[in-house]
Amino acid sequence: MKVSEVLHCSFPVWYPKFKQVSIKSILIPLPAEFLEYLHTDGVVLPEGSLVTSGDRENDEDRVGEELDVNWDTDTLEATAPSFPDFDSAIKKAINMLGGRVFPKLNWSSPKDATWIAFDKSLKCTCPSDVYLLLKSSEFITHDLTQPFIHCEDYEENEEQPNIGYSLILRKWQDLNPGYEFRCFVRNNKLIAICQRNHTAFYDFIRHEKTDIVSDIQAFFYHMVNLKFPNENYVFDVYRRDQGKLLLLDFNPFGQVTDGLMYTWDELTDSDVDLKGTDSETKVATVILSTRGNFYKTFKFSFVFQGKLLLLDFNPFGQVTDGLMYTWDELTDSDVDLKGTDSETKHPVFRYKESEGIQPNPLSTFGVPRDILDLATGTDASKLVDLLKLRQQQQEEDSSSDEDNDQT
């Protein structure tokens, strides 16, 4: 993975070319003072960013209620920053996109910060919703500080390439996570597909797996292949219905991107024979195979807005010229058809086969880091400190009991 490949996956770079097949979005350049605000510690919402998502129905009932508050005058009060022009741009964009948006920066969305949102989602209706998610996200911090950390041609001590950061607001849509799929491309060939929400079981996938792979392949070859500058990359799609797909995002082909149901050793090693969930699944595609797929060819010519013109239908048999195929090949289901490129292989498809309970991989981001380190044992020094503190407390309790006995 190289720096240039990561830059090509930046939303402001790829979106203008693919916006016709993606979700409507508005890009707002981040001002320097807002970037500085994102780098500062603490979460203090800017002035003027009205919070409209919270439940304030009981505020009046609390008037006069005695609260246990520490009114220590020595406590330092954080000063709320102000970005009036940026606020106005966000409000205008939200209104243009129907009043509800999904925020992200050049590469990542703050999906690890949904625990802090009022409705536990990325849906934003005002600037304060956006600010709260961005400030609470480790993914956003990574975008700002270490976007090229896994690149082979980048050294940490060298100057970072100039990146024009933007806030991307995407029109909110209630997407079913079961219809989202991650696709892996190596050397301009689609080699693997898997469900994006890889911890959940969706029964319909196993029944529609052939159509899912066929639709994704057709979308890739018609709308993405050779139009995206990288040879190796990852892209995410949403399959709304048969033959109707939306492009969600592009990601670098490497460790910085979650392989989900694949390991990166599998994906990067061309000598590894990838296996799908159902290793016997074969898919007839509209450009690599001709086994009676006329209806799909006709349909795709409109769904993918390709410049195709239907000329004719012909019987599937000897009366029709097989051209570059023999009819023995086309009619014998036991014959493994080979294309002009004999190395062409259908992509591997992995999906969750059975029901089961698995934790949300993002749930740990809502737990304080110290507690997480203690629970997982990833930081032994914190466990030692905790044991020392526990021993000190026991010694203090014991000395206190002795003093009481003497009195």
Side-chain angles (χ1 to χ4, degrees):
M1 186 174 66
K2 298 181 178 180
V3 170
S4 61
E5 294 175 334
V6 175
L7 290 173
H8 290 156
C9 294
S10 176
F11 191 93
V13 175
W14 68 259
Y15 179 71
K17 183 181 293 186
F18 295 95
K19 64 181 179 181
Q20 297 300 325
V21 291
S22 190
I23 298 172
K24 184 178 180 181
S25 306
I26 294 178
L27 285 67
I28 306 174
L30 294 186
E33 59 270 18
F34 186 75
L35 276 172
E36 183 179 352
Y37 163 71
L38 291 179
H39 281 288
T40 57
D41 293 332
V43 180
V44 180
L45 297 181
E47 293 179 356
S49 57
L50 298 177
V51 180
T52 61
S53 301
D55 181 4
R56 304 183 183 281
E57 295 178 357
N58 298 323
D59 282 359
E60 294 182 0
D61 297 336
R62 301 186 62 180
V63 175
E65 180 181 347
E66 185 176 350
L67 302 176
D68 184 15
V69 181
N70 180 13
W71 298 103
D72 186 1
T73 56
D74 294 334
T75 302
L76 295 177
E77 182 176 347
T79 303
S82 178
F83 312 107
D85 294 338
F86 193 53
D87 277 0
S88 299
I90 293 176
K91 291 175 183 177
K92 181 179 178 180
I94 291 175
N95 289 333
M96 291 175 64
L97 294 172
R100 300 182 300 169
V101 298
F102 169 98
K104 63 174 295 180
L105 292 192
N106 294 41
W107 292 280
S108 303
S109 66
K111 60 184 179 181
D112 59 317
T114 53
W115 59 272
I116 204 171
F118 291 109
D119 59 356
K120 300 296 184 291
S121 78
L122 293 177
K123 180 168 61 179
C124 298
T125 59
C126 64
S128 64
D129 294 340
V130 176
Y131 298 151
L132 185 62
L133 288 170
L134 295 182
K135 283 288 290 181
S136 306
S137 171
E138 292 185 24
F139 291 177
I140 295 300
T141 300
H142 176 273
D143 268 19
L144 297 173
T145 60
Q146 297 178 316
F148 309 113
I149 188 171
H150 294 294
C151 293
E152 60 192 52
D153 57 343
Y154 177 72
E155 298 292 338
E156 291 188 25
N157 55 359
E158 72 180 41
E159 185 177 352
Q160 182 170 290
N162 185 31
I163 302 172
Y165 282 102
S166 295
L167 170 65
I168 292 95
L169 298 178
R170 315 202 72 181
K171 184 179 177 64
W172 178 264
Q173 299 193 25
D174 293 314
L175 302 180
N176 182 341
Y179 297 155
E180 297 181 31
F181 299 94
R182 174 152 290 183
C183 311
F184 302 86
V185 178
R186 187 179 67 206
N187 296 327
N188 285 322
K189 291 183 175 61
L190 181 62
I191 63 167
I193 302 169
C194 70
Q195 62 184 77
R196 200 177 182 199
N197 186 19
H198 63 291
T199 60
F201 168 74
Y202 301 98
D203 187 56
F204 74 91
I205 291 182
R206 60 180 174 146
H207 300 293
E208 300 180 20
K209 58 179 180 284
T210 300
D211 288 336
I212 290 171
V213 176
S214 181
D215 283 352
I216 292 175
Q217 277 190 286
F219 182 82
F220 168 69
Y221 286 109
H222 282 278
M223 306 306 299
V224 179
N225 191 33
L226 302 181
K227 296 179 182 179
F228 191 72
N230 294 356
E231 291 186 355
N232 305 309
Y233 55 94
V234 179
F235 68 96
D236 298 326
V237 295
Y238 184 80
R239 184 177 180 266
R240 295 175 293 180
D241 201 351
Q242 187 171 9
K244 297 181 180 179
L245 282 76
L246 275 175
L247 177 64
L248 299 180
D249 206 0
F250 284 101
N251 298 285
F253 189 84
Q255 295 288 346
V256 70
T257 300
D258 193 341
L260 300 179
M261 304 184 80
Y262 300 92
T263 68
W264 278 105
D265 288 338
E266 290 178 299
L267 294 168
T268 55
D269 190 346
S270 58
D271 294 330
V272 172
D273 187 16
L274 286 170
K275 298 293 185 182
T277 300
D278 181 357
S279 59
E280 295 182 357
T281 298
K282 292 187 178 181
V283 180
T285 69
V286 295
I287 69 165
L288 297 180
S289 174
T290 59
R291 290 181 188 250
N293 220 357
F294 298 114
Y295 170 68
K296 282 191 175 182
T297 304
F298 175 75
K299 180 175 61 173
F300 285 147
S301 67
F302 291 93
V303 171
F304 298 135
Q305 301 175 353
K307 297 179 181 179
L308 303 175
L309 183 64
L310 177 65
L311 298 180
D312 202 359
F313 288 97
N314 296 285
F316 189 80
Q318 295 286 347
V319 69
T320 300
D321 191 343
L323 300 177
M324 302 181 77
Y325 297 91
T326 68
W327 278 105
D328 289 337
E329 290 178 304
L330 294 170
T331 55
D332 188 347
S333 59
D334 293 329
V335 173
D336 188 16
L337 284 171
K338 300 293 185 182
T340 302
D341 181 358
S342 61
E343 295 182 358
T344 297
K345 294 182 180 180
H346 296 299
V348 170
F349 184 36
R350 290 183 184 175
Y351 55 92
K352 192 167 172 55
E353 291 185 90
S354 58
E355 296 185 61
I357 299 176
Q358 291 192 31
N360 185 338
L362 299 175
S363 60
T364 56
F365 288 99
V367 180
R369 176 63 63 183
D370 289 343
I371 294 179
L372 187 62
D373 288 341
L374 287 172
T376 59
T378 54
D379 192 338
S381 62
K382 291 181 180 179
L383 178 59
V384 173
D385 291 340
L386 178 64
L387 294 175
K388 288 181 179 179
L389 180 62
R390 191 68 178 271
Q391 182 179 2
Q392 182 181 349
Q393 290 176 337
Q394 290 176 347
E395 291 175 355
E396 290 177 355
D397 292 342
S398 138
S399 61
S400 176
D401 291 341
E402 290 178 0
D403 292 341
N404 290 335
D405 291 340
Q406 291 178 358
T407 57

